[in-house]
Amino acid sequence: MKIFLKNTFDLIKKDSMVLLLLISPLLIALLMKYGSIILNNILFDHYHFDLRVYYLYIDGFIFFMSGMIYGLVIAFLIIDEIDDGVVSYYNITPIGGKKYLQVRFLLPLLFLLILFSIISVFLTLMRYDLLKLISIWVFSISQMYLTGLIVINLANNKLEALVVSKMLGLQIIPFILSIFEKSNFRYFFSFLPSLFLGLAFERNFYFNILLSILISIVMICIFKLRFQKKLYTLT
């Protein structure tokens, strides 16, 4: 485990992009909170438009993006370890094989939980009861796992990972549609969990957030099995 942790921190230190990704959820939360407050004051003073009705969605976007960003961090670390042949070494240690993914996701998860605590206390635009907050956290964590697994399944190097990550940015579209498109057209994207995150803030919060988490879990299981097969061929 000491070698695993040392290798993790070495990979992070040598990649400035990963370092930036690690702190970017805080930067996004700061920008979105205070930018939204300033923008709301301007819009209300000049156009009598109240942006506060969208504060729930803005908070949801912050948590959603945080999970995706940390999923990318995990994907970049795994791709680096595959390129360096470290994954093959791990197979002769207690953290090899099927345990590799569990351990690799664990450290970023702990960092993400710390970030969520800071964001929830200081940087959300709204206040939430504990159960609702935990539900949003679980959704975001599921996006971390899903994003990481999708990238490592579809990409074989950092360049491909960047391309895949940009494609995954399209997941924001169903979330935006859930806010502004009230027709049944938005349900065309029902296979993507981000749609139901947006719907959760509109009505039936716990039903829709649970549905988004369940869809994510199904997709996570599929991509996890695919990667384990890919990992077997690599080792």
Side-chain angles (χ1 to χ4, degrees), residues 5 12 25 33 36 43 70 80 100 125 131 155 163-164 190 201:
L5 291 174
I12 291 172
K33 177 175 182 176
S36 297
L43 290 174
Y70 266 64
D80 276 339
Y100 170 71
L125 290 160
L131 183 57
V163 173
V164 174
S190 294
F201 294 126

Side-chain angles (χ1 to χ4, degrees), residues 11-166:
L11 289 171
I12 291 172
K13 283 190 294 183
K14 77 176 186 180
D15 194 330
S16 57
M17 181 171 63
V18 171
L19 278 171
L20 180 61
L21 287 174
L22 284 171
I23 63 170
S24 60
L26 275 180
L27 300 178
I28 292 171
L30 279 166
L31 177 64
M32 296 299 287
K33 177 175 182 176
Y34 294 105
S36 297
I37 292 171
I38 293 169
L39 182 60
N40 179 63
N41 291 335
I42 294 172
L43 290 174
F44 193 79
D45 289 343
H46 291 83
Y47 305 102
H48 301 289
F49 179 82
D50 194 350
L51 190 64
R52 288 176 296 179
V53 295
Y54 297 104
Y55 278 4
L56 283 171
Y57 298 100
I58 294 171
D59 285 344
F61 174 79
I62 292 169
F63 283 106
F64 176 37
M65 288 302 298
S66 298
M68 289 187 65
I69 288 168
Y70 266 64
L72 291 177
V73 169
I74 294 166
F76 290 151
L77 292 177
I78 290 174
I79 289 170
D80 276 339
E81 288 182 326
I82 291 174
D83 288 344
D84 295 342
V86 179
V87 174
S88 300
Y89 166 77
Y90 288 148
N91 277 340
I92 61 174
T93 70
I95 61 171
K98 293 182 178 180
K99 289 185 179 179
Y100 170 71
L101 277 180
Q102 298 173 9
V103 178
R104 173 46 68 215
F105 274 85
L106 181 60
L107 191 60
L109 173 60
L110 295 176
F111 275 101
L112 188 61
L113 290 174
I114 293 171
L115 280 181
F116 281 174
S117 300
I118 296 170
I119 291 171
S120 299
V121 174
F122 300 108
L123 297 175
T124 54
L125 290 160
M126 305 290 289
R127 288 288 170 256
Y128 304 90
D129 62 67
L130 184 59
L131 183 57
K132 186 171 286 189
L133 194 59
I134 290 173
S135 301
I136 298 171
W137 282 25
V138 172
F139 168 81
S140 184
I141 290 168
S142 73
Q143 299 315 295
M144 179 190 75
Y145 278 87
L146 181 57
T147 300
L149 287 167
I150 289 175
V151 174
I152 59 178
N153 269 281
L154 300 181
N156 295 309
N157 53 59
K158 279 278 186 69
L159 182 59
E160 290 181 3
L162 288 171
V163 173
V164 174
S165 67
K166 290 180 179 180

